[in-house]
Structures are given as C-alpha cells and as structure tokens.
Amino acid sequence: MKNLFLRLMISFFVLFGTTSLIAQTKVDIIFAMDTSGSMSDEGTALVNAINGVTSDLSSEFDIDAKLWGITSSRWGLTSYVTANVTNPISNYSEDWAPAVNDLASKYNGWRSGTIKIVVPISDECPENGDGCYQDDEIAITNARAAADANGINVLPIIGSSYSSSLYAKIKQLASNLSTVNGKIITTSSAVYATEMKEAIKDIIASVTGDIVRKPIFGSYSIVGNYINIPITKASGATGIEWEVTENGTYIMGQNATSIDKISIN
C-alpha cells in the first residue's frame, strides 16, 4: 500500500427533498462576542474572519449579519446585546449563555420568515466568566430552552481559553448549548473560519432542504490503481450525490457513502 496526496474536489449534494432556491433564503445571524480582556489576543482576528465568512455567505443567501459584543463593543463590533433588548439578563461581558437567552427570548429585530442563528463567542465560562459552577450549568440550560422555544439555531465559538484547566469544561458547556448536534467551533483550529461557514450552511440546509456543497482535500491510501474515500452523510439527509475532479478528470456518482475505484493514472 502506498500513499499519495491528491487534491480532490468533492461536492456533497445533501438532499432533503425540496427544490427551493438558495439565493432566496433569508438568514439572520447575530454574533455575540465576549469583549473582556482575555479575548484581546484574538478579538480583532475573529471579527475579520467573521466579516469574511458573512461576505462569502452573502453571495449565496440573503444574509443580515450583526457583529455585536454582549455588554460593550470593541474591535470593530457595531453594537452589543444589552443595548438591543429590553431588561436583559446579561450583565457581564462574558455572559455568553445569558446573551443567547436574551436574543432568543427578548430580541425583536429578527426579520420575518428568516432562519435565525446566534453565534456566542467566548473563551470563558458562560455566566460571569471565571470558574465554571452550577450557575453556569443553569445558564446553559435556560439559554438552550429559550433557543428551542423560539426557533433559534445556536453555534458557539470557543476561543483559546485563558485557563487550560477550564478549557474542556467550557467546550462541554458550549456543546450542550449548541443546537447543531452539539457542534462547536474552536479558534484553535487553523481552518476555523471555513468550519464556521460550512456549519452555518449546514444549519441553513437542515431548515430549508437546500443543497450543500463541501470541498474536501486530503491524503488517501492507494490500493493498486484505486482509492476509496469515505463520505459522512449529513444529519437528516435522505441521500448524497457527489462529484470529483482529479487531474482534470470529471467523475460522478449518486447516493453512495463512499467513492470507490477512482482510477489513478
């Protein structure tokens, strides 16, 4: 057996059985970012990455994206959560679970007929920051209940934690809040912006049934003159169609969970 790095473009057509046009889909996204001092090392980079992601998404969807802090704004954020809801329960810059609760249950600025997404961003525990205690667990439970009750999709982003001992716990709490099968984005990933964009597109597809395309690049084992590339079907999808471009050769198959016997010349 030998390995060869192949630059393959695999487009996944995740089928949910509808024919609506992606360009007509309205999506409202509110990014609610912790603006405390511990986020200073990555705040500006995160804002720039988010601006890039929302710009890319705007070419495919009718996007209304807001980049806010929680109790204050900096690094180019345009406003903050507590300035946009009445009687907010958020009162600390690190209150990312209460911020989700506020946006889910008290914010009145969502457009009609839109997919609603909240992206809380922090590197600390979800209630007041610092240590993770029972109050943090309760805040997550309440925020998730508010999101579920009001049709809000939640995709947390966790920064590089100021406390390595708390990092695993923070990620666990974020996963409990996520409405995307527990998925979270971590800025420790070198490709977190791409992961963020693809996760948002997955949310949209799960709601509308539209097509999702995901390029994948990788190194695959060759057995003889063939390779096999496994495909993981998206949650709720009824089937997969795929296409591959390899060395200028176009290959296509349908409704298969792996790509078999691609000839390597």
Side-chain angles (χ1 to χ4, degrees):
M1 181 181 294
K2 57 182 178 178
N3 290 320
L4 176 67
F5 182 81
L6 301 173
R7 189 161 295 226
L8 303 177
M9 174 67 80
I10 306 170
S11 294
F12 296 74
F13 298 83
V14 184
L15 309 176
F16 291 83
T18 70
T19 56
S20 56
L21 296 176
I22 287 179
Q24 296 176 346
T25 303
K26 294 196 299 184
V27 184
D28 286 2
I29 311 175
I30 300 179
F31 297 86
M33 185 183 295
D34 171 355
T35 55
S36 64
S38 65
M39 288 290 292
S40 296
D41 60 332
E42 54 189 335
T44 298
L46 265 164
V47 170
N48 290 339
I50 290 167
N51 279 325
V53 166
T54 56
S55 177
D56 288 348
L57 291 171
S58 294
S59 67
E60 300 182 57
F61 309 101
D62 178 3
I63 296 285
D64 182 7
K66 294 178 170 59
L67 280 65
W68 290 351
I70 296 172
T71 59
S72 63
S73 59
R74 57 193 299 202
W75 309 312
L77 300 171
T78 59
S79 188
Y80 47 96
V81 173
T82 57
N84 289 276
V85 301
T86 302
N87 299 320
I89 60 173
S90 305
N91 55 13
Y92 287 88
S93 58
E94 305 96 332
D95 275 0
W96 52 274
V100 171
N101 197 335
D102 282 331
L103 291 168
S105 59
K106 299 181 179 183
Y107 179 62
N108 295 318
W110 302 108
R111 293 181 297 171
S112 175
T114 188
I115 297 170
K116 306 174 184 69
I117 303 173
V118 173
V119 182
I121 306 167
S122 182
D123 60 353
E124 298 193 46
C125 297
E127 171 82 10
N128 303 343
D130 296 324
C132 292
Y133 305 107
Q134 185 177 8
D135 286 351
D136 297 278
E137 301 273 2
I138 293 171
I140 290 290
T141 298
N142 291 342
R144 178 59 189 267
D148 289 344
N150 292 282
I152 306 298
N153 299 278
V154 183
L155 177 68
I157 296 177
I158 300 303
S160 302
S161 179
Y162 75 104
S163 171
S164 58
S165 63
L166 290 174
Y167 189 51
K169 181 63 174 179
I170 293 168
K171 290 194 294 181
Q172 176 194 325
L173 291 168
S175 182
N176 292 344
L177 180 55
S178 170
T179 62
V180 193
N181 296 318
K183 183 176 182 61
I184 66 173
I185 305 299
T186 59
T187 61
S188 59
S189 168
V191 291
Y192 76 83
T194 298
E195 293 171 353
M196 183 198 323
K197 180 172 70 174
E198 295 302 331
I200 290 170
K201 291 175 72 172
D202 282 348
I203 291 171
I204 297 167
S206 71
V207 175
T208 66
D210 287 319
I211 293 170
V212 175
R213 299 185 179 184
K214 295 183 177 180
I216 289 187
F217 303 93
S219 180
Y220 304 98
S221 296
I222 300 173
V223 179
N225 292 323
Y226 302 108
I227 63 173
N228 175 279
I229 304 171
I231 301 173
T232 301
K233 188 161 61 175
S235 175
T238 58
I240 295 173
E241 294 179 355
W242 47 262
E243 62 186 36
V244 178
T245 301
E246 184 265 317
N247 294 332
T249 303
Y250 178 79
I251 309 163
M252 182 173 178
Q254 296 184 359
N255 296 318
T257 55
S258 68
I259 300 173
D260 281 309
K261 297 184 177 179
I262 299 174
S263 178
I264 306 300
N265 299 320

